[in-house]
Amino acid sequence: MPPKRKNDSIVKVEDVGMDVDTVIDSGSEEEARKRTKNRRAKPQRKAKRVSDDEEDDEDEDEAPRKRGRKKKARPRDSDEDEEEDKRSVKSKGSKASRRKAAKDESDEESEEEPDKRKKGGRATSKKEKEEQNKEKKGGNGKGKERESKGGEKNKKKKNGKLSSSSSSSEGDEDSLSEGEIAALKEQVEEKKKLIATLRNKPWRMKRRLVMLKEAQEFVEKFEGALGKGKGRKLYAYKVMMTKKFIKFKRDFENFKTACIPWERKIKEVESHFGSSVASYFIFLRWMYGLNLVLFGFMFGLVVLPEVLMGLPYGSIARKTVPRAEQDSAMDFSVLFDFGGYCKYSFLFYGYYNNERTIGLLQFRLPLSYLLVGVGIFGYSLMVVIRTMARNANEGGDGGDEGEFTFSWKMFTSWDYLIGNPETADNKYASITTSFKESIVDEQENQKDENIHLRRFLRVLANVMILCCLGGSGYLIYFVVKRSQEFAEMDNDDLSWFEKNEVEFVMSLLGLVCPPLFETIAELEDYHPRIALKWQLGRIFALFLGNLYTFLFALFDEVTAKLEREKSIKNATEWALNQYYANYSSFYNTTNVPPPDVHPSDVVRGPCWETGVGIEFVKLIVSDVQVSYLTILIGDFARAVIVRFLNYCWCWDLEAGFPSYGEFDISGNVLGLVFNQGMIWMGAFYAPGLVGLNVLRLLTSMYYQCWAVMACNVPHERVFKASRSNNFYMGLLLLVLFLSLLPVVYTIMTLPPSFDCGPFSGQEKMYDVVMETIDQDLPAFIGNIFTYATNPGLIMPAVLLMVLAIYYLNTVSKGYQQANLDLKRKMQMARDEEKNRRNNKDSTNEVMKDLEDLLPNKSLIPPPIEEEPPPVEKNSKSTKTKPGSAGKGVNLQKEVSLAAPNPRGPVTRAPGARGRPPGNPRGPQPGPGRGRGRGAPPRY
Amino acid sequence: MGNKQTIFTDEQLDAYQVRLVCVFYSRLHGRYHELAPHLVPMDYTNEPDCKLPLALIVNMPELKENPFRNRIVESFSEDGMGNLSFNEFVDMFSVLSEMAPRELKAIYAFKIYDFNVDNYLCKEDLEKTLNKLTKEELTPEEVQLVCEKAIEEADLDGDNKLSFADFENMITRAPDFLR
């Protein structure tokens, strides 16, 4: 590629020349070059000064001069190229003469020349190049400005172009004036700008190519020595790197998305069932993450140390199955009830030993157990609150965001990178769903209703639901009380129903109430999103009854066990004392060895903690069974029946009565929340529970995703879930708090079992902490601790916190208010602008009226004639714009690039200028408009 | 550039180079050639005048799943029928590429959505767009509602259709208008 090489060599030589420039005595050839360069650069610099103020005018009336300039410039350039290419000294003669001529001119300014030239000529060109590169790279901000400029001047350039090509190439250099050279320079710059911004122009390729070729030829002709080759390579490299970088970024994003577990599944569900259903799965995923962390704590700090470093199974009584149970310990039915080996395994509290330190590492297991048990609550609280705060920051309860909801959805929702049919189907579904969501929102906004009737109905519905809740609450209370009576009676006298009355009533309520609430909620006619919240709150209240009965029963059991344990404890102690007394009296020694009893034969207490743990685990397991079976029967079987029996049934099953199930968001969310509450409560008594829950969440993720996609239909009114899952989080927080209470209560007040668990032998569970502080930590920490627990200190601290909360609350309210105000202002500004544009016609009317009122009728015709042109011009210009793509390329370009600009001033000028001084809000038509009317004709 | 010289003259390459690095360019030509090996010559030095019909281009994997594929190709073709010469083909890809500036994309997006080529997005255009986007799953009333809302939102000059200025104003503020 000859042309390229030439350019390169030019660059090289030029570089050398520049370097040597300051050295006065250099080779003749270089000097010659220098001279020519001087000559070239000097006038340019001079002319620049002139042209700065009047460049435009100059350009326009310079057409004739251009010809001469070009004539001159070209030969010189070509000469130079030749010489430098060959590096010959042949043409020295001609050069020398030229040099002499040049010297005359340049002598006066030669002192300041070198540096100035460098700065002026070289530096600017360099800078230009850099800028170009930047622009090319994709910066369009700057390019845009120039674009318009370049666009205007395009014609001029073309003219210049033509003239240059038509002009002959005779050497008549001395006739070239400095101004001409400057103009030439400018043109070259413009061409370069054009090249740089060509990319951004909405032209057809053919036209672009033509323009590009012209511009390039031009530039090459007159700016051959600009080091284009190098710049171009650099540019190509940069483009390549940008592309690579973009690709990398995209890949990285993809990778990040791929790393989010189940993101694809959830998106799929979302695209078919809407964000409300997806919000449940997102919540489920979040819960899974939380439980994974809890599991990590529990497993890493409690279970593993005990299993690895503690005494092995069968070494002590608490780790051995009692002899009475050993026969049936491996039976499935027993194991399934978490009796037998399960009961005496690390899954439960009782297994853990009360040795202060275990293993080589001197791991303090009891302390660790207590701290993890409490730490789980601390961590969960922290995470829940942090998530809530972050969600609140992201803000929005799912309502419309921004001003262009529908337009954006319509024009920007398709992802042009989709190439996979399956993905495309999902995208279609998701777009449809999102449209439906927005439509529901919009319909809700548009609904004009009888507000009094609505209010009455809402109050009515709430009263009814409150009655329901009260009734069911009383029913639960009644049944629980009755069951206590039954418990005191003999077991054999009771019928099956009486024994299971509580469970029966509870599940009946759970079955009947939610649909009932839903039906009543129809009365209220809330937006589905708000209705969901109400529904959640109501069912939550109902489930609280569930929780209450469960805890009630549990506490009864615990107190009973505690009593039994007390008697057993006394008996054991008595037996032990007897043994010691007998032993010492028999062998007559005080050194009594511990009684040699096989661990499985030791008399042991009921160990109420393990009992509680087992209750929780059983509850969770039965919950899992029930919910999975419900899905299997209620959704899957139903779907199968509806689908296949429909062929031979007397009515349309799919559209008629059973139809397919909808996904029950509120029920599932509450199930998840209460399940988590159980985990929090039970984790202290059954460390294995957390692991179980992780498994449960994992399976239910897959299972429910499948069930939803396979057997459910989308809701009738797909609605957008609130972007922050904060309502779910709020429920979770409440449950967390509720489940915190009983656990802390037991830790602080109930005495631990005497023969099982890490706290056996202590008065209270938290004595472990006291012990550690007393024995293992330096004394001053103990002091600090006593001070810190002093009520005198706690009270002020609480007070301070309350005050801080109050203050922060006030501040946040202030911010909210400010936010609202700003939003309102933006809305107002937008409306105002819209109105201003809309009112063009109406203001015309007003103005016409005004004109009519004027005494001098002769003034009427001009305004009426005058008025249309600006408007029409606009519309005409925009109309011709893209349609003329085929033929009128020139017009199209100019309009599409410049259209927004003239438009703004035309419409805005009247309003802005026409404001009466006394009235700052100014949209009143009147004198202002009237005066502003004068503006349009300027265009 | 090596072997690519056989396809384009140096000058041609030089010209294209500023906009597209030649490697990409010849790769693009490869794609173009692939679409219809019997129609498109491998040798492009003398700028043969050949055009590919819409049906062929629409089947490219890049466009196959796009609901607006026909419109895209049509709006880039000079005759409006969807026949693309190589230049137009390059044009299309350069606009659809990530490197293209947003302004340019907005212009072509406008053209794409302008189904009846009257340089306004009127209600019929929007309805067509919407039906393509949702595979006609919305009821007519819903479509009506959405179109009305969209026009109401974006129409600044109150002529009940979107001019390019309206469109640009709206689209440049969209958070995910990146293509």
Side-chain angles (χ1 to χ4, degrees):
Chain A
M1 28 219 109
K4 254 217 156 146
R5 222 180 296 133
K6 197 170 77 186
N7 287 342
D8 282 353
S9 62
I10 289 169
V11 176
K12 257 178 241 157
V13 175
E14 195 189 47
D15 281 345
V16 175
M18 294 310 279
D19 289 342
V20 182
D21 238 359
T22 41
V23 186
I24 302 161
D25 270 345
S26 54
S28 58
E29 193 194 320
E30 255 125 45
E31 210 176 335
R33 269 200 64 255
K34 196 170 74 181
R35 290 306 160 197
T36 48
K37 280 208 131 204
N38 284 355
R39 275 201 69 252
R40 227 208 290 170
K42 184 207 333 165
Q44 168 209 345
R45 173 171 47 79
K46 239 185 182 176
K48 209 143 211 178
R49 265 181 254 136
V50 188
S51 63
D52 269 351
D53 358 2
E54 44 166 3
E55 48 179 351
D56 282 7
D57 307 355
E58 209 181 51
D59 259 347
E60 261 151 52
D61 53 24
E62 234 179 15
R65 263 200 279 167
K66 254 179 213 159
R67 185 168 295 203
R69 184 198 325 145
K70 245 144 241 164
K71 259 186 235 160
K72 213 227 87 183
R74 240 175 88 184
R76 192 190 56 207
D77 270 356
S78 59
D79 272 4
E80 209 174 273
D81 286 354
E82 268 173 29
E83 279 170 19
E84 282 150 16
D85 251 9
K86 296 169 195 159
R87 301 187 183 232
S88 69
V89 210
K90 260 185 224 161
S91 56
K92 227 185 205 168
S94 65
K95 257 219 163 150
S97 67
R98 206 194 296 157
R99 195 197 318 161
K100 241 164 215 159
K103 219 161 200 174
D104 300 343
E105 272 182 28
S106 63
D107 261 352
E108 323 111 63
E109 293 170 53
S110 57
E111 319 96 17
E112 17 151 359
E113 209 130 70
D115 40 345
K116 266 210 175 172
R117 188 201 331 138
K118 257 188 217 162
K119 258 185 232 158
R122 175 77 174 179
T124 48
S125 68
K126 257 272 156 71
K127 227 195 271 168
E128 264 165 44
K129 244 192 293 168
E130 274 169 18
E131 270 172 16
Q132 271 178 36
N133 280 342
K134 255 184 239 160
E135 283 165 20
K136 278 173 196 170
K137 227 168 47 180
N140 3 3
K142 225 192 263 173
K144 188 85 199 201
E145 295 166 24
R146 292 175 169 209
E147 213 172 66
S148 56
K149 203 175 149 197
E152 286 164 26
K153 291 185 180 171
N154 256 336
K155 274 183 204 160
K156 259 181 270 159
K157 263 181 260 158
K158 252 189 193 163
N159 290 344
K161 188 82 227 173
L162 288 174
S163 62
S164 81
S165 56
S166 62
S167 66
S168 60
S169 55
E170 301 147 21
D172 187 13
E173 47 193 81
D174 280 357
S175 68
L176 183 71
S177 80
E178 292 164 353
E180 281 168 342
I181 289 188
L184 178 66
K185 264 277 175 220
E186 237 166 60
Q187 273 192 326
V188 168
E189 271 167 40
E190 273 164 23
K191 285 282 179 201
K192 277 200 241 158
K193 267 178 226 158
L194 178 73
I195 293 173
T197 54
L198 192 69
R199 206 192 156 79
N200 300 357
K201 311 218 163 173
W203 299 340
R204 297 229 170 261
M205 196 64 174
K206 225 181 226 167
R207 175 152 177 248
R208 276 195 203 157
L209 280 179
V210 171
M211 290 300 295
L212 182 70
K213 232 182 232 170
E214 278 176 9
Q216 268 192 331
E217 269 167 28
F218 187 88
V219 170
E220 225 164 275
K221 245 176 230 159
F222 300 110
E223 272 278 325
L226 254 177
K228 201 177 58 184
K230 201 178 173 189
R232 191 187 284 176
K233 256 183 200 160
L234 193 68
Y235 168 62
Y237 177 73
K238 272 183 178 170
V239 169
M240 192 98 95
M241 288 319 285
T242 337
K243 276 197 171 174
K244 285 256 162 67
F245 182 65
I246 289 176
K247 190 162 183 322
F248 172 77
K249 258 196 338 201
R250 200 174 57 208
D251 285 349
F252 188 68
E253 286 295 315
N254 284 346
F255 175 72
K256 262 198 328 204
T257 318
C259 281
I260 305 173
W262 304 306
E263 183 72 3
R264 262 189 70 193
K265 265 186 190 309
I266 292 177
K267 283 284 172 222
E268 207 172 326
V269 169
E270 182 173 355
S271 58
H272 287 98
F273 290 85
S275 51
S276 48
V277 175
S279 74
Y280 163 71
F281 285 100
I282 290 170
F283 188 52
L284 179 59
R285 181 175 63 188
W286 184 87
M287 207 73 108
Y288 179 72
L290 174 70
N291 274 285
L292 222 50
V293 176
L294 297 190
F295 175 70
F297 278 139
M298 213 29 150
F299 201 73
L301 293 177
V302 174
V303 177
L304 264 189
E306 177 70 23
V307 170
L308 292 181
M309 301 188 285
L311 293 168
Y313 174 83
S315 53
I316 48 173
R318 65 187 71 180
K319 298 189 175 187
T320 321
V321 180
R323 196 165 295 280
E325 295 174 25
Q326 259 176 9
D327 297 333
S328 63
M330 268 315 274
D331 289 3
F332 179 74
S333 61
V334 174
L335 283 182
F336 198 70
D337 271 348
F338 295 94
Y341 284 109
C342 268
K343 190 175 171 184
Y344 301 98
S345 72
F346 61 84
L347 284 179
F348 295 107
Y349 171 93
Y351 179 81
Y352 294 85
N353 203 354
N354 63 343
E355 252 181 307
R356 271 202 73 225
T357 57
I358 55 170
L360 286 173
L361 299 171
Q362 301 292 303
F363 189 78
R364 291 184 179 80
L365 189 87
L367 181 68
S368 159
Y369 195 102
L370 186 78
L371 290 187
V372 167
V374 176
I376 278 181
F377 283 103
Y379 176 78
S380 308
L381 264 178
M382 202 184 73
V383 169
V384 170
I385 293 206
R386 245 193 59 194
T387 314
M388 280 180 84
R390 206 176 43 220
N391 285 353
N393 256 351
E394 277 169 18
D397 59 340
D400 48 349
E401 70 285 330
E403 1 166 28
F404 296 123
T405 330
F406 283 101
S407 327
W408 283 347
K409 275 220 171 79
M410 193 179 288
F411 295 123
T412 66
S413 54
W414 185 260
D415 186 346
Y416 279 69
L417 294 177
I418 290 179
N420 175 1
E422 213 169 301
T423 326
D425 278 348
N426 279 341
K427 190 71 188 172
Y428 282 123
S430 89
I431 290 173
T432 312
T433 316
S434 82
F435 265 119
K436 278 187 178 157
E437 286 173 354
S438 293
I439 288 170
V440 165
D441 279 2
E442 190 54 39
Q443 280 170 343
E444 210 60 32
N445 284 342
Q446 282 180 351
K447 198 163 60 186
D448 53 332
E449 51 191 0
N450 184 344
I451 188 120
H452 295 296
L453 179 67
R454 186 67 56 222
R455 253 183 215 156
F456 169 73
L457 282 179
R458 280 180 187 174
V459 169
L460 183 70
N462 272 318
V463 168
M464 281 164 74
I465 283 173
L466 271 183
C467 286
C468 278
L469 279 178
S472 51
Y474 178 73
L475 191 62
I476 291 170
Y477 172 76
F478 177 76
V479 169
V480 168
K481 229 177 149 191
R482 229 162 82 104
S483 76
Q484 279 174 314
E485 282 167 23
F486 288 144
E488 281 161 21
M489 295 185 348
D490 197 4
N491 225 357
D492 301 330
D493 298 345
L494 300 173
S495 65
W496 177 85
F497 177 76
E498 280 170 330
K499 269 194 267 184
N500 294 299
E501 202 177 37
V502 179
E503 286 81 3
F504 186 77
V505 168
M506 292 309 303
S507 42
L508 197 72
L509 281 180
L511 213 65
V512 171
C513 278
L516 186 69
F517 289 170
E518 210 158 326
T519 322
I520 295 177
E522 296 275 303
L523 279 180
E524 299 177 308
D525 199 20
Y526 277 123
H527 183 286
R529 180 167 51 243
I530 301 163
L532 175 67
K533 281 185 183 176
W534 279 99
Q535 176 80 353
L536 277 173
R538 283 160 186 165
I539 303 180
F540 185 84
L542 183 73
F543 277 16
L544 277 185
N546 230 331
L547 202 66
Y548 153 80
T549 41
F550 179 72
L551 286 183
F552 209 88
L554 217 57
F555 265 101
D556 277 355
E557 203 184 311
V558 167
T559 37
K561 274 193 175 155
L562 271 177
E563 266 166 35
R564 241 178 73 208
E565 186 194 79
K566 209 175 275 172
S567 61
I568 291 177
K569 188 181 173 189
N570 287 338
T572 352
E573 272 169 5
W574 184 78
L576 211 61
N577 283 339
Q578 290 291 93
Y579 164 78
Y580 280 135
N582 286 342
Y583 191 92
S584 49
S585 62
F586 191 76
Y587 293 103
N588 204 13
T589 170
T590 48
N591 186 16
V592 188
D596 181 26
V597 194
H598 190 269
S600 57
D601 294 330
V602 174
V603 181
R604 55 181 90 192
C607 195
W608 62 268
E609 291 96 338
T610 298
V612 171
I614 287 179
E615 283 301 313
F616 276 109
V617 174
K618 268 191 199 163
L619 192 76
I620 294 294
V621 169
S622 71
D623 186 37
V624 172
Q625 287 167 344
V626 167
S627 58
Y628 283 11
L629 277 180
T630 318
I631 291 174
L632 207 61
I633 295 170
D635 285 327
F636 184 66
R638 178 173 162 187
V640 167
I641 288 172
V642 168
R643 176 83 178 76
F644 292 105
L645 278 188
N646 200 28
Y647 296 121
C648 49
W649 204 258
C650 30
W651 70 82
D652 188 1
L653 284 174
E654 280 182 348
F657 162 58
S659 88
Y660 298 105
E662 284 181 356
F663 185 77
D664 176 18
I665 303 174
S666 55
N668 275 302
V669 166
L670 283 180
L672 202 57
V673 166
F674 275 93
N675 171 60
Q676 193 57 38
M678 295 297 158
I679 302 300
W680 275 321
M681 272 194 274
F684 188 75
Y685 306 107
L689 191 59
V690 191
L692 207 68
N693 191 42
V694 168
L695 278 183
R696 182 234 166 115
L697 294 180
L698 192 68
T699 48
S700 77
M701 188 75 183
Y702 286 105
Y703 185 55
Q704 287 196 304
C705 266
W706 164 78
V708 141
M709 294 299 285
C711 347
N712 285 356
V713 288
H715 290 249
E716 206 173 322
R717 301 176 77 192
V718 186
F719 59 92
K720 198 185 295 167
S722 57
R723 231 177 316 153
S724 57
N725 274 347
N726 263 6
F727 195 75
Y728 301 165
M729 288 292 171
L731 291 181
L732 194 65
L733 190 65
L734 198 59
V735 165
L736 176 57
F737 190 70
L738 286 181
S739 55
L740 180 66
L741 290 180
V743 173
V744 171
Y745 173 77
T746 50
I747 288 178
M748 297 308 276
T749 55
L750 292 185
S753 301
F754 76 101
D755 62 346
C756 69
F759 310 113
S760 51
Q762 315 265 7
E763 275 294 306
K764 295 274 185 293
M765 289 181 186
Y766 66 84
D767 284 350
V768 197
V769 183
M770 297 302 168
E771 197 184 79
T772 312
I773 289 172
D774 286 346
Q775 294 180 11
D776 296 338
L777 295 178
F780 74 94
I781 291 184
N783 284 339
I784 291 175
F785 199 75
T786 24
Y787 289 136
T789 49
N790 190 339
L793 214 77
I794 290 178
M795 285 304 287
V798 169
L799 202 66
L800 198 70
M801 273 199 248
V802 168
L803 289 179
I805 289 173
Y806 172 74
Y807 171 74
L808 289 178
N809 200 20
T810 319
V811 168
S812 83
K813 264 191 191 142
Y815 282 139
Q816 263 176 6
Q817 193 57 40
N819 222 341
L820 273 181
D821 281 351
L822 284 177
K823 258 186 196 161
R824 209 176 300 142
K825 264 183 200 164
M826 273 171 66
Q827 183 64 30
M828 263 169 60
R830 197 167 155 267
D831 286 350
E832 204 170 312
E833 192 188 359
K834 226 172 167 180
N835 279 340
R836 215 180 287 148
R837 297 192 185 208
N838 279 347
N839 286 345
K840 238 186 286 168
D841 289 338
S842 64
T843 46
N844 286 353
E845 297 278 310
V846 172
M847 279 184 297
K848 271 179 216 159
D849 291 349
L850 273 175
E851 304 286 347
D852 282 340
L853 289 177
L854 279 180
N856 189 357
K857 281 277 177 184
S858 65
L859 272 177
I860 302 171
I864 291 171
E865 278 172 10
E866 235 177 49
E867 210 40 58
V871 183
E872 226 174 58
K873 201 175 167 187
N874 274 337
S875 58
K876 212 205 297 179
S877 59
T878 33
K879 216 176 254 169
T880 38
K881 178 197 354 166
S884 55
K887 34 183 181 119
V889 238
N890 212 348
L891 183 62
Q892 174 206 353
K893 161 216 78 190
E894 232 143 73
V895 169
S896 60
L897 292 172
N901 283 346
R903 182 172 208 105
V906 171
T907 46
R908 208 163 298 187
R913 279 170 76 245
R915 246 168 228 170
N919 184 4
R921 292 177 62 218
Q924 297 163 324
R929 296 280 168 178
R931 247 202 295 152
R933 218 187 81 255
R938 277 197 302 170
Y939 285 88
Chain B
M1 295 168 207
N3 52 353
K4 269 96 197 179
Q5 264 170 330
T6 51
I7 306 176
F8 302 100
T9 62
D10 204 41
E11 227 181 11
Q12 272 174 315
L13 260 191
D14 234 29
Y16 283 122
Q17 209 172 17
V18 183
R19 302 190 59 248
L20 291 160
V21 183
C22 64
V23 181
F24 297 110
Y25 195 71
S26 5
R27 201 186 291 161
L28 212 49
H29 176 260
R31 296 291 307 280
Y32 190 67
H33 178 80
E34 236 170 59
L35 286 177
H38 54 285
L39 282 180
V40 182
M42 254 335 251
D43 186 13
Y44 238 77
T45 43
N46 46 2
E47 303 199 21
D49 181 36
C50 69
K51 292 197 164 193
L52 285 193
L54 176 126
L56 280 177
I57 293 167
V58 153
N59 274 329
M60 295 182 70
E62 282 87 348
L63 292 175
K64 213 165 68 191
E65 296 302 334
N66 200 313
F68 306 113
R69 49 184 179 271
N70 288 355
R71 275 303 304 160
I72 292 177
V73 177
E74 273 166 28
S75 60
F76 278 99
S77 77
E78 208 160 334
D79 54 6
M81 298 299 293
N83 299 322
L84 289 194
S85 69
F86 180 54
N87 278 342
E88 288 155 359
F89 186 74
V90 174
D91 220 10
M92 181 169 82
F93 273 83
S94 80
V95 170
L96 290 179
S97 87
E98 286 167 297
M99 306 279 294
R102 278 170 75 118
E103 289 84 358
L104 193 61
K105 289 192 170 184
I107 290 166
Y108 278 100
F110 184 79
K111 287 180 77 175
I112 287 168
Y113 292 128
D114 183 13
F115 280 79
N116 51 9
V117 207
D118 62 350
N119 292 321
Y120 281 105
L121 298 184
C122 42
K123 219 166 173 189
E124 294 84 66
D125 292 330
L126 295 189
E127 274 166 19
K128 274 183 195 159
T129 310
L130 193 57
N131 281 333
K132 291 217 172 212
L133 262 184
T134 59
K135 283 195 168 169
E136 313 194 7
E137 296 236 339
L138 297 179
T139 62
E141 295 88 57
E142 284 171 334
V143 172
Q144 204 67 14
L145 177 78
V146 171
C147 293
E148 269 166 22
K149 283 303 291 179
I151 288 184
E152 186 190 318
E153 281 165 2
D155 184 23
L156 288 179
D157 45 16
D159 53 0
N160 264 333
K161 45 191 179 181
L162 305 185
S163 65
F164 179 68
D166 298 335
F167 183 76
E168 196 185 28
N169 175 42
M170 178 267 296
I171 204 102
T172 45
R173 291 187 210 175
D176 40 1
F177 175 59
L178 287 170
R179 291 279 187 94

